């Protein structure tokens, strides 16, 4: 599968060595060079956080629609692009002749209704939004950080940017939200003691290019690279850094060379030394890689963060319902799988224009929060063990994580039997085995090179069950 950002960059950054000992101490002042940026140590808060909530909210949330014909993300395929399931790509899709989004737009709004005519509707509806309610929902879902789209490809900003868009045809009221959504959410998220990060689309800004993207080759050719755009993006991201001090600077697609990406990152680290940057700035430095709707098979030494929607889209798609949304058991298995391999999950929520989180998404957030409140010990602040993946003789799938001397073996799904005989593990002296959610010690025995655990009579919780092997990983 092709990633829109470019697989080569992801692979290159994933092969980079972990920080050297001297680099781990960080620097006093970062310079716009690779060597200096690479000396930035991965902050412990980010390595241990494991779960973040991504939010795609913008003008596209007003129509909130995308076709469902392509369940798999096949970014290079022209038919996929024409039927893009990413609802935040509405402006691109509505410009493709004969696309379902174009037909939807004409049917619901009329051929003369411009995309930026959604701005007054978004401004009116988003007045109903309550940032504290969101922050509480994300906190209760178990997230330790939040990342908001401050500007998506459409170019509309969720803060009152003072950088003037040089395109004279864009009236003031269509350039940015009336509320300072970035500022209000940042404050609310911090009140809930989570970290606040900002997404910015540096590689695409559809107020600057001719578009639309209709085929894979266009992904590259529509990137604005003019000096005017480079200066604009540079000024806007500095506004974000200086005003909001985001804990993550999550850039998308690429960064214009005219906008000095290394200078941006150096300035960011100097302002927020324990902040992190992703791998989409078009340079060979990143604190983490950012696979999108992609599974990694093994433990990656380089920190990574998987991003995906609860459904098939990042932005709100009113056509999605139960069948398109990840099932709670699969969501929990996904999180456990990612964490066992050194990743974080950046799970995206697509709110409606008035800030309502669709009920089908709310349900997943609640299930996740309930599971984590019982089992978070096996997730937060853990590190990968020697192996990520295991099996039981009874046929269960296992994922391993470690914290100090304790090993956690999570059974994905309901155990198939009353025992879990974990392959290639042995009983160790002094080890004590329990299931999280139940303090009763469990009987264990070694059986043919495997470790057999007698499971509790009544399983606590649901979806996935964690065996804690205290003292195993000495
Ligand atoms: C992609 C998409 C975009 C989404 C993002 C999230 O590159 O273009 O719509 O915001 O990545 O990872």
């Amino acid at each position: 599968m092709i990633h829109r950002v470019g697989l080569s960059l992801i692979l290159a950054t994933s092969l980079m060595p972990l920080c050297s000992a001297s680099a781990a101490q960080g620097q006093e002042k970062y310079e716009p060079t690779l060597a200096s940026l690479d000396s930035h140590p991965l902050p412990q808060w980010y390595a241990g956080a494991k779960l973040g909530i991504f939010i795609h909210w913008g003008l596209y949330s007003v129509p909130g629609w995308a076709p469902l014909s392509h369940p798999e993300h096949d970014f290079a395929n022209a038919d996929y692009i024409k039927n893009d399931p990413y609802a935040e790509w509405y402006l691109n899709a509505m410009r493709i002749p004969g696309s379902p989004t174009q037909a939807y737009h004409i049917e619901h709004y009329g051929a003369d209704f411009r995309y930026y005519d959604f701005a007054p509707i978004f401004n009116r509806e988003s007045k109903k939004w309550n940032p504290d309610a969101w922050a509480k929902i994300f906190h209760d879902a178990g997230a330790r950080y939040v990342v908001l789209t401050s500007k998506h490809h459409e170019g509309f900003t969720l803060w009152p940017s003072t950088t003037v868009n040089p395109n004279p045809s864009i009236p003031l009221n269509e350039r940015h939200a009336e509320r300072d959504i970035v500022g209000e959410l940042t404050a609310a998220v911090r009140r809930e003691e989570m970290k606040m990060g900002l997404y910015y689309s540096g590689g695409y800004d559809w107020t600057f290019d001719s578009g639309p993207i209709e085929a894979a080759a266009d992904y590259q050719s529509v990137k604005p690279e003019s000096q005017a755009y480079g200066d604009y993006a540079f000024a806007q991201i500095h506004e974000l850094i200086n005003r909001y001090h985001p804990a993550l600077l999550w850039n998308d697609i690429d960064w214009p060379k005219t906008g000095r990406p290394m200078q941006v990152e150096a300035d960011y680290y100097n302002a927020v030394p324990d902040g992190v940057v992703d791998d989409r700035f078009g340079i060979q430095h990143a604190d983490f890689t950012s696979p999108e709707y992609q599974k990694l098979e093994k433990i990656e030494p380089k920190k990574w963060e998987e991003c995906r929607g609860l459904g098939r889209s990042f932005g709100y798609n009113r056509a999605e319902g139960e069948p398109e949304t990840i099932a709670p058991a699969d969501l929990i298995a996904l999180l456990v799988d990612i964490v066992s391999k050194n990743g974080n999950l950046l799970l995206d929520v697509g709110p409606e224009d008035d800030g309502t989180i669709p009920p089908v998404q709310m349900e997943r957030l609640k299930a996740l929060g309930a599971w984590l409140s019982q089992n978070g010990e096996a997730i937060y602040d853990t590190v990968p063990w020697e192996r990520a993946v295991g099996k039981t003789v009874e046929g269960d799938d296992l994922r391993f994580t470690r914290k100090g001397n304790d090993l956690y073996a999570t059974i994905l799904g309901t155990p198939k039997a009353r025992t879990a005989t974990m392959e290639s593990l042995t009983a160790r002296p002094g080890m004590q085995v329990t299931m999280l959610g139940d303090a009763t010690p469990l009987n264990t025995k070694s059986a043919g090179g495997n470790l057999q655990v007698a499971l509790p009579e009544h399983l606590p919780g649901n979806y996935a069950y964690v065996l804690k092997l205290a003292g195993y990983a000495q």
Side-chain angles (χ1 to χ4, degrees), residues 56 86 88-89 152-153 199 250 252-253 280 292 307 314:
H56 277 59
Y86 283 2
E88 71 277 12
W89 277 60
H152 202 262
H153 309 339
Y199 164 108
W250 211 107
D252 202 3
I253 306 291
R280 300 188 183 189
E292 181 174 323
C307 62
F314 287 93

Side-chain angles (χ1 to χ4, degrees), residues 374-393:
Q374 179 182 300
N375 300 296
E377 186 185 328
I379 299 293
Y380 304 117
D381 300 315
T382 60
V383 292
W385 185 52
E386 298 158 13
R387 285 177 265 153
V389 176
K391 276 238 164 246
T392 67
V393 171

Side-chain angles (χ1 to χ4, degrees), residues 40 44 73 79 118 125 174 200 231-232 318 352 359 453:
H40 181 254
Q44 192 44 51
H73 294 290
D79 194 57
F118 287 129
E125 292 302 308
E174 294 177 1
Y200 183 86
D231 291 346
Y232 178 78
R318 68 187 68 243
E352 298 176 30
V453 179

Side-chain angles (χ1 to χ4, degrees), residues 31 42-43 120 126 200 209 214 244 254 340 397 406 417 469-470:
E31 305 290 342
L42 184 73
S126 58
Y200 183 86
D209 70 55
E214 293 190 64
Y244 307 109
D254 204 343
S340 73
D397 284 315
D406 301 336
L469 283 66

Side-chain angles (χ1 to χ4, degrees), residues 20-44:
S20 67
S22 63
Q25 282 135 38
Q27 291 203 346
E28 257 167 39
K29 185 161 187 327
Y30 291 91
E31 305 290 342
T33 63
L34 262 190
S36 176
L37 298 173
D38 281 347
S39 75
H40 181 254
L42 184 73
Q44 192 44 51

Side-chain angles (χ1 to χ4, degrees), residues 4 54-67 73 75 80-81 83-95 101 115-116 118 149-156 158 199 201 204-206 213 219 250 252-253 280 292-293 307-318 320 348-351 361:
R4 291 203 226 236
F54 211 178
I55 307 155
H56 277 59
W57 205 30
L59 301 186
Y60 44 82
S61 315
V62 177
W65 189 82
H73 294 290
F75 300 122
Y80 171 90
I81 298 171
N83 292 273
D84 203 325
Y86 283 2
E88 71 277 12
W89 277 60
Y90 188 97
L91 170 56
N92 191 68
M94 74 179 261
R95 291 188 285 172
T101 303
Y115 180 80
Y116 294 96
F118 287 129
T149 48
S150 68
K151 181 196 86 167
H152 202 262
H153 309 339
E154 60 182 4
F156 183 81
L158 295 191
Y199 164 108
S201 174
Y204 292 152
D205 186 316
W206 293 333
I213 294 164
Y219 285 137
W250 211 107
D252 202 3
I253 306 291
R280 300 188 183 189
E292 181 174 323
Y293 281 95
C307 62
R308 57 156 293 158
L310 278 158
R312 299 174 193 165
S313 172
F314 287 93
Y316 170 54
N317 181 1
R318 68 187 68 243
E320 287 190 353
D348 183 82
V349 163
Q361 298 193 2

Side-chain angles (χ1 to χ4, degrees), residues 207-222:
T207 66
F208 279 81
D209 70 55
S210 48
I213 294 164
E214 293 190 64
D218 303 334
Y219 285 137
Q220 197 57 33
S221 61
V222 304

